Amino acid sequence: MVSQIDLNQIDNMQYDVLKEIGNIGAGNATTALSQMINSKIDMKVPKVDLLEFKELSDIVGGAENIVVGILFTLEGQIDGMMMFMMDMGAARHLVNLLLGGAYGSDSGEFSEMERSALNEIGNIIAGAYLSSLSSLTNLLITSSIPYMAIDMSGAILSVPAIEFGKIGDKALLIETEFGDADNAVNGFFILIPTIDSYKAILSSLGL
Amino acid sequence: MNEMIKVGMADSNVCVSPNAITTLGLGSCVGIVLYDPVRKIAGMVHVMLPDSTKIINNSNKAKFADTGIDLLISQMLAIGADRRNLVAKIAGGAQMFAFGANSDMMRIGDRNVEATKSKLKQLGISLKAEDTGANYGRTIEFYPDNGMLLIKSVGKEKKMI
């Protein structure tokens, strides 16, 4: 039997499975990030929130807070998108760790080199997230190149929100906060499978 | 003290002068303002998708350009706006990420704007001004007192349309 998914009426079992996917994916992504910047990164317990669109922009510090969003489109046996979002302070911190503070521009905006580094951070994090999801479900997932935007969080979140909007009135958000000893680095992982892919994920796990 | 009424994503609300109405961080969504300049009554809806008939789960009318405009008109008439006076201003419909050309997601902003315009045309509501497309987010504020729409974007000058 194929599971029916209605995000408005998601049952506890489905919720727990999606939460666990977030847990494993974000765990792997955090490890990858930690290795990349050669510094210990701790991850907090992921939160899985089913939010109304109205509430969506209140996360990451409000709709007008400027954030870096790196988005991937997914194809294969799981379709959809995945987004990695962090605030400007976190992005700046990560870039400095990776490039040692070199290549910065005077304006405080990210230079070409720094944007490229951010894309690479996104690539590695998303890769780790998706490969763990792929091995867990035994489903093939291929991801696009990273697409980056630096803008108001509400505007960036509108892109995944619209994808959720096609299947329901809520967005499923898997939020993971991570940080090193000195600076808290806040990031969000958002996985947005299409409705058929939700079914594929749950079926692959025997639900 | 004048109030600033907030409209969320897939949400709508109405306001009467001297209050103003706003929606924050429009991306590919479109913010549609309808306005009765005689009674100084305004309404705003923040729509996410062009067409309710293409989506099975379409109970939230404020989510779609077609049903969102209908909903907004009925909300405005309920507080005393005159249907014959209504004019429109719209903003948003950006393409936030530079997706490849064959991507369905790429044109969602444009499609939202097109659907909004065709619905307004069908209803005979004149579109007075727009600030749509491009690749950046917008916060908008509408002032029924003077009928102006203020547009704020990251790293750009404020704009009044």
Side-chain angles (χ1 to χ4, degrees):
Chain A
M1 187 193 133
V2 177
S3 304
Q4 292 301 308
I5 284 280
D6 176 350
L7 285 183
N8 294 311
Q9 292 169 344
I10 202 162
D11 71 31
N12 280 339
M13 184 73 112
Q14 292 169 332
Y15 191 78
D16 284 346
V17 166
L18 295 173
K19 188 166 178 172
E20 190 52 24
I21 285 170
N23 209 344
I24 293 169
N28 276 281
T30 306
T31 306
L33 180 63
S34 187
Q35 285 167 355
M36 180 163 66
I37 61 176
N38 200 18
S39 156
K40 189 171 180 299
I41 300 271
D42 291 319
M43 182 185 86
K44 293 192 179 163
V45 178
K47 275 197 310 196
V48 176
D49 280 328
L50 198 56
L51 295 174
E52 286 192 41
F53 295 130
K54 275 191 245 188
E55 307 165 304
L56 191 60
S57 48
D58 291 334
I59 62 156
V60 288
E64 291 187 290
N65 190 32
I66 301 170
V67 298
V68 177
I70 302 171
L71 186 129
F72 302 83
T73 57
L74 310 179
E75 282 173 20
Q77 288 169 298
I78 297 179
D79 283 332
M81 48 171 86
M82 138 129 221
M83 190 154 83
F84 175 57
M85 242 174 120
M86 56 198 151
D87 65 29
M88 290 295 276
R92 170 56 63 197
H93 184 59
L94 283 180
V95 163
N96 286 347
L97 280 174
L98 201 66
L99 298 177
Y103 305 105
S105 67
D106 294 335
S107 64
E109 287 181 10
F110 290 111
S111 66
E112 228 12 71
M113 184 60 141
E114 290 176 320
R115 291 176 72 96
S116 166
L118 281 171
N119 268 331
E120 197 47 35
I121 289 168
N123 233 345
I124 287 168
I125 288 174
Y129 195 116
L130 295 171
S131 73
S132 65
L133 176 59
S134 182
S135 20
L136 184 72
T137 57
N138 222 3
L139 297 169
L140 176 77
I141 314 168
T142 51
S143 117
S144 69
I145 56 165
Y147 299 104
M148 183 168 61
I150 301 176
D151 209 312
M152 292 184 269
S153 72
I156 286 179
L157 279 168
S158 75
V159 177
I162 284 168
E163 290 304 303
F164 278 115
K166 292 177 183 168
I167 56 174
D169 288 316
K170 288 182 178 170
L172 183 76
L173 205 71
I174 300 158
E175 173 192 344
T176 313
E177 191 179 333
F178 49 84
D180 61 9
D182 309 323
N183 288 41
V185 178
N186 288 299
F188 296 80
F189 302 102
I190 311 170
L191 180 69
I192 310 138
T194 60
I195 189 91
D196 289 337
S197 299
Y198 268 118
K199 289 177 191 162
I201 291 169
L202 292 170
S203 308
S204 76
L205 297 170
L207 287 178
Chain B
M1 182 68 191
N2 300 348
E3 220 186 316
M4 181 66 81
I5 294 160
K6 273 195 184 180
V7 176
M9 203 179 274
D11 185 22
S12 70
N13 214 329
V14 290
C15 113
V16 184
S17 170
N19 295 332
I21 190 162
T22 183
T23 195
L24 310 177
L26 279 168
S28 299
C29 302
V30 174
I32 304 164
V33 175
L34 296 182
Y35 174 49
D36 175 343
V38 180
R39 313 244 162 111
K40 297 197 187 298
I41 294 173
M44 187 184 283
V45 60
H46 181 146
V47 304
M48 303 171 72
L49 289 161
D51 188 354
S52 65
T53 61
K54 299 262 163 60
I55 306 284
I56 304 158
N57 194 334
N58 60 6
S59 56
N60 182 357
K61 293 188 165 50
K63 195 161 76 177
F64 305 96
D66 54 349
T67 49
I69 293 172
D70 287 334
L71 171 72
L72 194 58
I73 292 173
S74 66
Q75 287 177 322
M76 290 175 69
L77 297 188
I79 61 161
D82 187 334
R83 171 72 178 79
R84 291 163 301 180
N85 294 342
L86 295 186
V87 293
K89 293 190 177 184
I90 65 173
Q95 186 193 329
M96 297 304 300
F97 295 92
F99 296 121
N102 55 356
S103 168
D104 176 46
M105 286 173 292
M106 171 170 160
R107 287 194 65 263
I108 189 71
D110 285 343
R111 280 163 47 211
N112 280 333
V113 172
E114 283 162 20
T116 300
K117 287 181 180 171
S118 91
K119 179 70 180 181
L120 290 172
K121 197 171 177 190
Q122 184 198 325
L123 294 170
I125 296 173
S126 149
L127 179 62
K128 290 294 181 196
E130 65 172 302
D131 180 44
T132 56
N135 63 350
Y136 52 85
R138 296 166 174 92
T139 281
I140 61 172
E141 293 171 7
F142 186 78
Y143 297 88
D145 190 41
N146 60 9
M148 295 308 284
L149 183 65
L150 174 69
I151 295 153
K152 296 188 278 188
S153 297
V154 175
K156 296 197 166 49
E157 294 279 316
K158 287 180 183 177
K159 210 190 275 186
M160 275 282 199
I161 63 168

